[in-house]
Amino acid sequence: MASLSSSAAAARATFMPSSCQSRPAGGGRMARLVTRAAASSPKLPSGRRLRVAVVGGGPAGGAAAEALAKGGVETVLIERKLDNCKPCGGAIPLCMVSEFDLPLDLIDRKVRKMKMISPSNVAVDIGGTLAPHEYIGMIRREVLDAYLRSRAEGAGAEVVNGLFLRYEAPKEPNGSYLVHYNHYDSSSGKAGGEKRTFEVDAIVGADGANSRVAKEMGAGDYEYAIAFQERVKIPDDKMKYYEERAEMYVGDDVSPDFYGWVFPKCDHVAVGTGTVTHKPDIKKFQAATRLRAKDRIEGGKIIRVEAHPIPEHPRPKRVAGRVTLVGDAAGYVTKCSGEGIYFAAKSGLMCAEAIVAGSANGTRMVEESDLRKYLAEFDRLYWPTYKVLDVLQKVFYRSNAAREAFVEMCADDYVQKMTFDSYLYKRVVPGNPLDDIKLAVNTIGSLVRATALRREMEKVSL
Amino acid sequence: MAMATSTFSPPASQLALRRQPGAAVRYHLLSFPRLRAGLRLARAAAGEAPVEAVVDQPLPSPAASNGAVVKAKEPAPAPLPRFRDSRWVNGTWDLKQFQKGGAIDWDAVIDAEARRRKWLEDCPEATSPDEAVVFDTSIVPWWAWMKRFHLPEAEKLNGRAAMLGFFMAYFVDSLTGVGLVDQMGNFFCKTLLFVAVAGVLLVRKNEDIETVKRLIDETTFYDKQWQATWQDESPPE
């Protein structure tokens, strides 16, 4: 008994040594929860292992299932479409490749140059400050998701092809959740799948922006953007331009609150745009994006049209009982860039680690407080990143004038270095304070000039 | 090719979006770019920056077609003219062409850039690597911006402050007998002065009060969304 509780304490210490002393963004209230001991949660009856259902087999679900299985928890991963080609920009930062040990052949393309194009077509190339080993990896979601799921299976998780329907909360405090799902099995001959149930102790909702788990647990809604994308196969000579280059278009014509993009994929490009506030006009924005990139994608054939919602902020409730959300289901997409893959996988991993630690490697029952520890840690680690990107979006995506200033700022080497550092490694390294002051002055200067020009523009009548 | 025609979705729809979202006016507005385009072509051919307002002739009113709003069936539209200006060379303004009496006329540069941005906002263009735009507004020196934008505003505000200050000083003197020099020495008066200056700088119009309140809300909104999950945490058993 003594060894179990000490190993539980050790597991706790290795998982979160600093969060016990840290001051999370929410203030002192959170710190109070963190210091509860794991040894007080009851041991599981008849020595069985903890059972967890991971709903959704994307990056969040795959990472969570693998970490859970490795930690000694009995894991079931439910995915409704094993060959799903999720509509996605498909960009992953360098830290994801190293943190998740991704093999380099998953990456279709290494983007080393980005072109930012302002509403008046001022074009700025960024990427000149990247070291030779640094790049933004472009992946196909079907490839990445399948790889992470296979790793989870290899670690001992059971991957089930099925559609999560609903769950029933336990009636006693330490009872089980009853998960209802539609089991798809091509060999059984039933077209719609057969209804099945199974019992678990905890549920991790990793089923994306339209999460059913979130609906079941009453997590609340979030504002979301619609991202619309067309995959275009362009002739080889035009594809050369996009060999290592991605483009980002900003402007009211392309999107009133987001940006339009041309991202290279394995053998074609993805041209798309998104918006939160003007969703019915998405087709117009897409046409405008195609117009801006016209010369470079002319002669291309649209091979696929896809769209998907992207959450703008976390759901009001991310945990209820022993059910929690990770990834897009929780709403972990950054503003300004709309990045979600890394945070989905990382949150899945952190949630799984919290469950493993709280259950002392699957031997004890977990509680809501253990899941809240994952939330506290995630919020503490990544809150600065999210806040900075929110501020950037509020300042630079407001109007065409602000976007012109934004593109002008991107021409600065210091800005490029800071941007790429924070994107590729998810760390905000404080630079030289003198450079920071210069940057602040330049930013204000750009904004003031762009606003002044805007006022002149209003006087001009063409 | 499906893409080639769809890229020419008329910017008029965007004009209609931004300026007048009423459906009834859309038909009327749809007609404008045809005429604007024609006039722009003429001007572009002349290679001149236009200064006169656009004169548009109204097309037959919708009433002619029984009052129903008819969507203009446009034939494949002629490509809208690209932005052309004789002083815009290689993606930037050729400063040598802005010389006025030996020195560069920065006001004209600012005017030209404002016009270019307005043109492109109304008629977004495809970008091309050969004609890449590399103009950076920071080539216009800081004093040109100051002279043109800051100084007139500063003059206006200082004038207002001076008028207000004179009458307030006179008023206080007539009421309390405290002269100007003694007023400046009083702490209460100094505070009032500070509040007045700050107020005039921050709040130029009545709407600015709402703007400041909205800005304060905006800066903390995202934080509140992230804290939401902690609002309902149950106390530890």
Side-chain angles (χ1 to χ4, degrees):
Chain A
M1 196 59 165
S3 60
L4 262 176
S5 47
S6 67
S7 70
R12 184 162 302 276
T14 45
F15 170 56
M16 256 176 309
S18 49
S19 62
C20 294
Q21 299 113 29
S22 75
R23 305 283 266 44
R29 254 188 356 146
M30 267 188 258
R32 181 164 52 88
L33 275 183
V34 175
T35 49
R36 288 192 59 211
S40 62
S41 56
K43 212 158 149 24
L44 288 165
S46 55
R48 71 166 170 86
R49 287 188 303 155
L50 186 77
R51 295 159 309 190
V52 173
V54 177
V55 180
E66 184 193 357
L68 283 170
K70 274 208 192 123
V73 172
E74 195 181 312
T75 321
V76 177
L77 174 65
I78 310 178
E79 166 59 42
R80 69 172 174 94
K81 191 161 188 288
L82 292 169
D83 57 352
N84 192 22
C85 298
K86 162 95 199 296
C88 183
I92 56 170
L94 213 54
C95 56
M96 180 157 180
V97 178
S98 51
E99 276 179 47
F100 290 90
D101 286 323
L102 297 181
L104 289 175
D105 57 5
L106 280 187
I107 297 174
D108 291 329
R109 256 169 217 284
K110 299 184 175 161
V111 165
R112 293 194 167 91
K113 293 179 261 198
M114 256 192 84
K115 216 185 211 5
M116 320 277 289
I117 297 157
S118 80
S120 67
N121 284 345
V122 178
V124 165
D125 280 305
I126 64 177
T129 54
L130 285 175
H133 68 277
E134 291 178 334
Y135 56 86
I136 303 173
M138 306 300 292
I139 47 108
R140 269 169 293 165
R141 279 293 300 275
E142 54 271 27
V143 170
L144 175 73
D145 297 354
Y147 172 74
L148 289 174
R149 280 197 299 265
S150 70
R151 265 210 340 220
E153 213 166 8
E158 183 193 346
V159 176
V160 166
N161 183 4
L163 175 67
F164 170 84
L165 294 172
R166 61 191 173 83
Y167 69 80
E168 283 169 28
K171 300 183 187 50
E172 327 84 48
N174 279 324
S176 318
Y177 285 85
L178 191 65
V179 171
H180 293 250
Y181 74 104
N182 249 348
H183 186 92
Y184 299 145
D185 185 4
S186 44
S187 61
S188 77
K190 271 183 145 202
E194 62 179 277
K195 285 195 167 29
R196 287 197 194 170
T197 63
F198 61 91
E199 281 190 359
V200 287
D201 302 309
I203 303 179
V204 174
D207 43 348
N210 294 320
S211 171
R212 249 195 167 129
V213 175
K215 213 164 78 146
E216 282 288 309
M217 68 188 260
D221 279 323
Y222 43 39
E223 269 136 42
Y224 63 95
I226 278 285
F228 185 91
Q229 182 170 262
E230 285 166 348
R231 308 239 196 145
V232 182
K233 182 123 180 64
I234 55 179
D236 285 335
D237 52 323
K238 296 210 152 103
M239 197 64 210
K240 263 205 192 45
Y241 175 80
Y242 290 110
E243 186 81 32
E244 280 189 336
R245 186 183 278 116
E247 285 179 330
M248 204 172 118
Y249 295 90
V250 288
D252 269 335
D253 55 326
V254 161
S255 167
D257 49 14
F258 205 62
Y259 60 89
W261 64 82
V262 179
F263 287 162
K265 301 252 181 222
C266 47
D267 59 353
H268 55 276
V269 291
V271 181
T273 180
T275 175
V276 180
T277 49
H278 287 81
K279 296 190 182 76
D281 299 322
I282 189 74
K283 295 268 172 69
K284 290 194 178 78
F285 298 141
Q286 177 69 10
T289 313
R290 279 207 302 267
L291 170 69
R292 297 261 228 123
K294 182 163 77 96
D295 288 346
R296 285 184 293 286
I297 55 175
E298 196 141 40
K301 196 166 90 76
I302 299 179
I303 54 178
R304 198 183 149 96
V305 177
E306 51 195 17
H308 205 83
I310 300 181
E312 285 289 295
H313 62 85
R315 290 191 197 262
K317 213 160 106 162
R318 285 179 269 158
V319 68
R322 281 172 269 132
V323 183
T324 188
L325 299 172
V326 294
D328 268 14
Y332 295 143
V333 177
T334 63
K335 292 234 164 140
C336 193
S337 58
E339 186 195 349
I341 304 182
Y342 173 74
F343 295 105
K346 195 69 196 287
S347 62
L349 177 67
M350 289 174 78
C351 177
E353 283 175 348
I355 294 179
V356 165
S359 69
N361 287 52
T363 53
R364 309 186 95 88
M365 183 61 97
V366 285
E367 279 158 349
E368 182 175 325
S369 54
D370 300 309
L371 298 173
R372 281 196 181 270
K373 287 189 186 85
Y374 129 68
L375 287 182
E377 182 67 9
F378 186 83
D379 285 3
R380 185 191 70 87
L381 259 183
Y382 294 114
W383 168 244
T385 309
Y386 281 91
K387 184 62 184 171
V388 164
L389 286 167
D390 176 55
V391 170
L392 285 178
Q393 161 143 337
K394 286 204 170 82
V395 171
F396 288 118
Y397 283 15
R398 294 195 97 83
S399 61
N400 269 353
R403 293 183 191 112
E404 295 280 354
F406 176 55
V407 174
E408 221 174 74
M409 288 309 303
C410 287
D412 183 52
D413 270 351
Y414 185 66
V415 170
Q416 289 183 30
K417 197 168 88 56
M418 300 290 289
T419 311
F420 275 118
D421 255 352
S422 60
Y423 172 75
L424 291 174
Y425 305 110
K426 296 290 173 277
R427 64 167 179 231
V428 187
V429 176
N432 186 347
L434 224 60
D435 282 330
D436 283 334
I437 296 177
K438 217 170 69 130
L439 174 64
V441 168
N442 283 342
T443 310
I444 297 175
S446 280
L447 282 167
V448 165
R449 289 195 296 266
T451 317
L453 271 170
R454 168 100 227 146
R455 277 189 268 138
E456 274 317 296
M457 276 161 71
E458 274 156 23
K459 299 195 203 138
V460 171
S461 56
L462 286 170
Chain B
M1 225 157 305
M3 268 187 24
T5 48
S6 58
T7 50
F8 291 116
S9 62
S13 48
Q14 279 144 12
L15 282 172
L17 251 183
R18 263 206 301 283
R19 310 279 178 65
Q20 278 159 54
V25 206
R26 198 177 299 184
Y27 178 69
H28 193 52
L29 272 178
L30 270 171
S31 62
F32 276 32
R34 308 280 115 236
L35 293 146
R36 277 226 181 98
L39 283 160
R40 277 188 193 151
L41 270 165
R43 278 188 219 119
E48 265 183 14
V51 285
E52 67 274 14
V54 169
V55 174
D56 286 305
Q57 305 144 25
L59 284 180
S61 72
S65 46
N66 283 336
V69 177
V70 174
K71 245 189 118 95
K73 254 297 183 331
E74 307 180 22
L80 294 158
R82 293 178 79 90
F83 173 75
R84 287 278 179 271
D85 192 310
S86 54
R87 298 166 300 178
W88 178 257
V89 172
N90 284 338
T92 187
W93 294 107
D94 184 6
L95 295 174
K96 289 198 283 296
Q97 296 191 39
F98 286 92
Q99 301 269 6
K100 197 171 79 170
I104 302 177
D105 181 7
W106 293 111
D107 275 340
V109 176
I110 293 176
D111 281 329
E113 178 63 11
R115 197 186 144 262
R116 184 187 77 89
R117 290 191 180 186
K118 178 89 177 152
W119 181 291
L120 283 171
E121 195 175 76
D122 290 345
C123 282
E125 265 174 29
T127 59
S128 68
D130 323 309
E131 300 173 24
V133 174
V134 291
F135 178 70
D136 187 334
T137 55
S138 54
I139 63 168
V140 180
W142 64 273
W143 51 261
W145 297 99
M146 276 269 282
K147 227 168 65 158
R148 172 120 175 209
F149 295 105
H150 177 74
L151 291 183
E153 183 87 6
E155 188 187 333
K156 196 164 68 175
L157 290 177
N158 277 313
R160 288 181 184 165
M163 288 186 271
L164 204 65
F166 176 78
F167 279 103
M168 286 311 298
Y170 185 90
F171 210 48
V172 171
D173 194 348
S174 68
L175 280 180
T176 61
V178 179
L180 181 62
V181 176
D182 294 318
Q183 274 181 47
M184 290 309 290
N186 183 310
F187 176 74
F188 179 65
C189 288
K190 281 209 263 255
T191 317
L192 264 185
L193 180 69
F194 182 75
V195 167
V197 167
V200 162
L201 284 177
L202 283 176
V203 181
R204 312 275 174 91
K205 315 186 282 282
N206 279 340
E207 293 82 29
D208 283 350
I209 305 176
E210 283 306 310
T211 312
V212 172
K213 271 205 280 204
R214 209 168 25 87
L215 272 175
I216 296 176
D217 268 336
E218 239 184 58
T219 45
T220 52
F221 188 55
Y222 195 51
D223 311 43
K224 288 202 203 96
Q225 286 172 331
W226 272 81
Q227 299 308 325
T229 201
W230 301 102
Q231 301 309 325
D232 62 284
E233 66 186 67
S234 45
E237 288 98 49

